[in-house]
Amino acid sequence: MDRRARAVPGECTGIDSRLKLSFAVTDAPQGTTALPIEIRDLTKRYGSVYALNSVDLDVHSGEFLTLLGPSGSGKTTLLMAIAGFNRPDSGSIRFGEDEVILTPPHKREVGMVFQSYALFPHMNVADNIGFPLKLRGITGSERATRVEEALETVQLSGFGARNIDQLSGGQRQRVALARAFVFGPRILLMDEPLSALDKKLRERMQIELKHLHRKLGVTTVYVTHDQREALTMSDRIAVINDGELIQLDTPEVIYNSPANAFVADFIGESTMLPLKRDDAGALFFRGQKVGDAGADEGKDWTLVVRPERLFFAGAGAETDDQTIVLKGVLREAVFQGESEMALVAIDDGTEVAVRFGTSGRASPAASITGDQVSIGLDRNDVIIIPGEQAA
Ligand code: ADP
Ligand code: MG
């Protein structure tokens, strides 16, 4: 399988490139030295449900790691275990050399940001941000200075005296962020912090959070169920399902080389096509060789086809060393603004989605529903996963 590094795939992000980014990126990391997190064999049950099932996870010092999975997969449980707000049944969590599994939350020196902001409504902005400092006995002018610096970092200078109910959703989340990092936490944890914001603001805040992370240099664990958000923000992504860690890798590898059908299906769009394996381990789709299973024991293999990696080939195109060609009938072509999506029914009626740009250069050779079309897949873009496709 080819692992070409690519830009974040798919359609354009909608982020306006002229947008002024709010956090300075040139500042050197400040605060305490970043710590790695080492999680071993972590299990947490609620009755018969394994919210976490023997999870092993290493978060590198200073990295931005995202826990990505569907609702109910155990993301919050894992984050709360790191923060100390729940007690796992077994396992170990280390911050650097320190075993923290028995350490109460307030002694873990962790900053937390929640989807709900969880600000104190009766305190103004400055008092909210200053609260963690107050708890640590930092008073007077030092506290005021650090609150002011934090306000500046999140682009809210001058907002200190405002009441929380005088702020927009995005501003509230910036206050929550400032409160989470103002005391120089060893670890920063965020649980779906952008979910309450509208799409445009969310995409802008994704980039801002990335910049903030670079500035602070603090080890960060971020939770989202949004695969696009995870691809946009993360150094590495931990894909979680049913309390288990399924795959841990960079966004590029998770997207280009998913470990199984769950990851392939959950991240990005795909059509899954079952393959036949011969005795020598060669893998075929409809008689065309697409890859090799090698010495692997598995009998079931699946070809994962990403819509944006397919293209319309000329009428006479045939499979060769470079390209796999599938022939079919154009069922539907739908304009979606920045791209167009076509559905092509190949031989047995299986529908394959093809995404192409709307720049005028990228149009398919045929565009009338019912036309015979050939779609091409570069062999470098072939993704093969073990097992049958997800139900
Ligand atoms: P996520 O954050 O990925 O949506 P959670 O960690 O909240 O998932 O939940 C994982 C599983 O544990 C789910 O099945 C959920 O219903 C269960 N769970 C979480 N918290 C509790 C709780 N306090 N009591 C009982 N079950 C819980
Ligand atoms: Mg959750």
Side-chain angles (χ1 to χ4, degrees):
M1 256 175 283
D2 184 73
R3 296 189 174 201
R4 281 201 289 191
R6 284 171 179 275
V8 176
E11 66 272 54
C12 87
T13 59
I15 297 169
D16 187 336
S17 57
R18 290 163 301 177
L19 197 78
K20 185 176 154 293
L21 296 170
S22 300
F23 297 118
V25 285
T26 45
D27 306 38
Q30 59 186 33
T32 51
T33 323
L35 284 176
I37 307 172
E38 182 192 285
I39 294 168
R40 288 291 174 274
D41 204 13
L42 203 68
T43 294
K44 172 75 180 172
R45 282 174 54 175
Y46 292 108
S48 60
V49 173
Y50 278 85
L52 297 176
N53 193 354
S54 192
V55 171
D56 291 328
L57 175 65
D58 283 294
V59 187
H60 302 157
S61 55
E63 88 171 320
F64 193 114
L65 183 132
T66 297
L67 307 177
L68 173 67
S71 175
S73 56
K75 305 180 298 295
T76 294
T77 305
L78 181 51
L79 204 72
M80 290 302 163
I82 298 171
F85 292 120
N86 72 37
R87 173 73 60 86
D89 300 316
S90 59
S92 151
I93 302 175
R94 284 176 189 277
F95 295 172
E97 297 294 300
D98 295 347
E99 173 61 65
V100 297
I101 201 90
L102 298 173
T103 309
H106 66 278
K107 297 220 169 120
R108 292 195 189 189
E109 293 297 304
V110 157
M112 276 230 55
V113 183
F114 303 91
Q115 178 185 340
S116 60
Y117 317 135
L119 296 169
F120 307 115
H122 56 284
M123 293 183 197
N124 68 20
V125 167
D127 290 342
N128 264 279
I129 296 173
F131 189 74
L133 299 174
K134 190 173 167 191
L135 286 181
R136 288 165 179 79
I138 298 165
T139 55
S141 65
E142 191 190 342
R143 183 158 89 214
T145 307
R146 287 173 67 170
V147 167
E148 204 42 57
E149 282 170 3
L151 278 169
E152 201 177 304
T153 303
V154 298
Q155 287 262 304
L156 285 178
S157 296
F159 280 71
R162 288 262 191 121
N163 287 329
I164 297 302
D165 61 10
Q166 294 174 302
L167 301 178
S168 70
Q171 290 169 333
R172 285 178 205 205
Q173 199 51 288
R174 285 163 208 253
V175 174
L177 254 173
R179 189 182 58 181
F181 69 73
V182 70
F183 62 96
R186 302 197 289 176
I187 313 277
L188 191 55
L189 305 175
M190 297 190 242
D191 194 353
E192 313 230 10
L194 307 181
S195 302
L197 307 177
D198 67 50
K199 185 167 181 286
K200 270 237 156 73
L201 185 56
R202 196 164 67 233
E203 288 176 346
R204 179 175 155 171
M205 289 289 290
Q206 288 167 4
I207 303 296
E208 290 192 5
L209 278 177
K210 232 175 123 74
H211 283 283
L212 177 66
H213 170 257
R214 204 170 298 157
K215 179 175 177 183
L216 297 174
V218 63
T219 307
T220 300
V221 183
Y222 187 93
V223 164
T224 184
H225 64 271
D226 180 340
Q227 47 101 12
R228 180 151 206 100
E229 184 163 297
L231 291 170
T232 302
M233 301 182 73
S234 318
D235 292 321
R236 290 190 304 159
I237 298 172
V239 182
I240 305 212
N241 191 33
D242 282 342
E244 295 187 23
L245 180 63
I246 309 294
Q247 188 171 10
L248 170 64
D249 221 311
T250 60
E252 289 81 3
V253 173
I254 296 267
Y255 190 87
N256 292 326
S257 303
N260 61 21
F262 174 79
V263 179
D265 189 47
F266 191 67
I267 291 145
E269 295 171 277
S270 57
T271 305
M272 304 222 194
L273 304 169
L275 298 177
K276 287 214 160 61
R277 178 188 187 275
D278 73 8
D279 291 340
L283 298 172
F284 295 87
F285 179 70
R286 307 275 163 76
Q288 306 185 80
K289 188 175 174 197
V290 297
D292 264 301
D296 216 293
E297 296 294 301
K299 150 171 136 332
D300 297 315
W301 296 84
T302 300
L303 176 65
V304 178
V305 185
R306 302 289 195 194
E308 79 283 0
R309 302 279 164 91
L310 291 166
F311 54 89
F312 285 92
E318 296 293 340
T319 294
D320 59 22
D321 288 351
Q322 185 61 39
T323 308
I324 295 161
V325 174
L326 309 175
K327 297 192 189 277
V329 174
L330 187 68
R331 278 275 165 81
E332 202 72 72
V334 187
F335 181 72
Q336 295 182 320
E338 83 289 348
S339 64
E340 198 162 329
M341 181 76 99
L343 290 178
V344 174
I346 51 175
D347 317 348
D348 66 348
T350 304
E351 284 192 346
V352 177
V354 185
R355 183 182 287 288
F356 51 98
T358 49
S359 70
R361 293 186 190 179
S363 315
S367 57
I368 302 162
T369 307
D371 275 0
Q372 295 286 334
V373 290
S374 296
I375 46 180
L377 174 65
D378 191 298
R379 288 192 183 271
N380 286 323
D381 288 332
V382 164
I383 301 171
I384 291 170
I385 54 171
E388 294 179 67
Q389 72 184 82

